[in-house]
Amino acid sequence: MHIVVCVKQVPDWDIPPSSFKIDESLKQVVPPPGVVDVPSQFDMIGVEAAMLLKDEAPDTKVTIMSMGPEAVQDTIKKSLAMGGDEGLLLNDTLFEDLDWYQLALVLSTAIKKLESVDLVICGRQAVDWDMGVAGSGIAELLGWPALTIGKSIKVNDGTLVLERVLMDGFETVEAQLPAVATISNELGEPRYPKLQQIMQVKKKQVTVWSAADLGLDDSQLGADARKMTLERLYVPVTAVECEFMEGDTPEEKAQNLAKKLAEAKLI
Amino acid sequence: MSLDFTLSDEHKLVQTSVGQMLDKFESRKAEFRQMAKDGKGFPEELWQEYAQAGLTGALIPEEYGGNNMGLLALMLGFETVCTRGFSPGLLLTICMDTCCIVKNGNDEQKERFLPKIADGSIKFCFAITEPNAGTNALQIETHARRDGDNYIINGQKTFISGADVADYMLLVVRTTTAKELKERGQPKAYGMSLFIVDTKSKGMEKTPISIPLSDELNQFQLFFDDMEVPAENLLGTENEGAVAMFNSLNPERILAAAICTGMAQSALTKAVDYAKERKVFKDTPIGAYQSIAHPLAEVKIDLDAARLMTQRAAWAYDTGVDPQTVGSYANMAKFLAAELAIKAVDHAIETHGGLGFAEETGLINQWSGARLFRTAPVSREMILNYVSEWNLGLPKSY
């Protein structure tokens, strides 16, 4: 079995959101100075899911794929140290500032070029924009089934079995491979690389493909080809009012509260 | 053009991986500390995780089950452990013993001990200090006499860390006494030998030494009364153990420095976090006051210096720089880092005010831990002597 895991590098998600600024004129997020980039949390859980499948079937090949600048190698290397076999970096100036459709186009084209891929795993969403579209977008463009937000994953005789997280529980869904799965944090903590595995990373190959390698150009990846328009980027303002109920006794306070809620038509 | 202050991707991965490894023990840190403080039990689960992560195998070649990632990687691991407020415990001595076995052991000894050290199934302690020979190690009196296939050992050792949990100890003895050396006109460094000794050997008695403030390993006084050790456990050549032993002290000092920079980082982080939140006068955080901020800034400057010195020493060891130069780097790094750790914890206590003495901040525990490293494993005075003699060419005073 050949699994491709899509991983993304994002600004350190441990940093409080309040320290990020928005440049509304440029419609861009401005991270605080000195912030480092780290692997997106859910993507590392995606790598863990692939490793669990590899634990069951050791001849499984796991390719770690990421798109971005050379610095993204850090996340690829960490994933390789967790047990991935090969790395693939999609690196080109044309890959900057893509919308979700173009992103899915690049990733799905690379997966097609890899050939004989049985399963693509993504994190349920990247922790920077929280859009959660990569997995479904890739599946749509490949024409494969997408099983999303999994808390456990198995492959039985060419059938992908995923337990999906729901608001009120979970459901088990199946699909024939090839397929795309997105993985949620309920799967469990990702394993950490051991020193032995870190030493082996140097021996693992990371291939770099450009837009030309994928047969893509400005006509598909340029601003005119975007399918999504960002109208406005801003921090929503939420107003909070706090009012203490008057009353001489707890009962009276409760009655006043009930009256107030009724007036506001909340009860 | 070879000077590069950037850690490799692999070394950065060691830092994040060790941090990730410690995550699952975060809620049990106080439990481990108390366990060590009470002298009861040993955090075996944490130890096994250190081994699984590869810390015990970092200095062991791959053919003997290690990962051979080197002292710089191990040093970064140690620093991360201490930055997170955990103790490396027996790792310090076991890594030093490992260096000694790797460099001086024969093939049979390497095959017998190294794979088990790497996988965490055996632990080692180190025994050199004696009541009459602390700083002056050449003055030790514990003696080993050859008797057929065995050596018979008599004498005593003191301040031996972790002798209760270690399966083996690397024991430094004399196989030629000081009197014999004098009679034969041989140099003082001659006549030392190293043995790998089973800590359950008949003829060995262990007496605990009470160290009230310590939350580290238990300390012991050891008495050897006709203790038999198989001759096959002699490490290296009889009477020529001094150089082997002294060369193994370099990694110990480098790792001690890494413990200190980790402790300093831990204390600095606590102090800075508190200084940003704590308000005493009106709405101004105390970190805005220069009397609080400047000492912490000084700690940061010293920390960067000590960290670079420690990394240089580890790099020199890994790249095979001559032991004397490594010794200079290691000693200087240990000196700077130990003084820094004390300063960092002291300023962190001052920043916290009364809270600095409360159990919940852990700073008083850190202070005793930091203070220990001014004295051990080598005192600041002996490091100054070393630098005076070897780096400045000044006459020896002792």
Side-chain angles (χ1 to χ4, degrees), chain A residues 73-74 77-78 81 190-196 198-199 201-203, chain B residues 9-10 13-14 17 20-21 49 52-54 58 62 66-69:
Chain A
Q73 293 264 13
D74 288 354
K77 283 184 178 172
K78 174 159 189 183
R191 65 194 64 191
Y192 65 84
K194 316 274 192 285
L195 266 63
Q196 185 89 33
I198 295 171
M199 284 293 278
V201 169
K202 272 185 192 164
K203 297 173 191 163
Chain B
D9 291 342
E10 288 76 17
L13 263 178
V14 171
S17 295
Q20 205 181 328
M21 176 259 285
E49 202 68 44
Q52 289 306 307
E62 285 174 277
N67 56 68
N68 208 24
M69 200 160 179

Side-chain angles (χ1 to χ4, degrees), chain A residues 59 125 181:
Chain A
D59 60 344
Q125 64 212 57

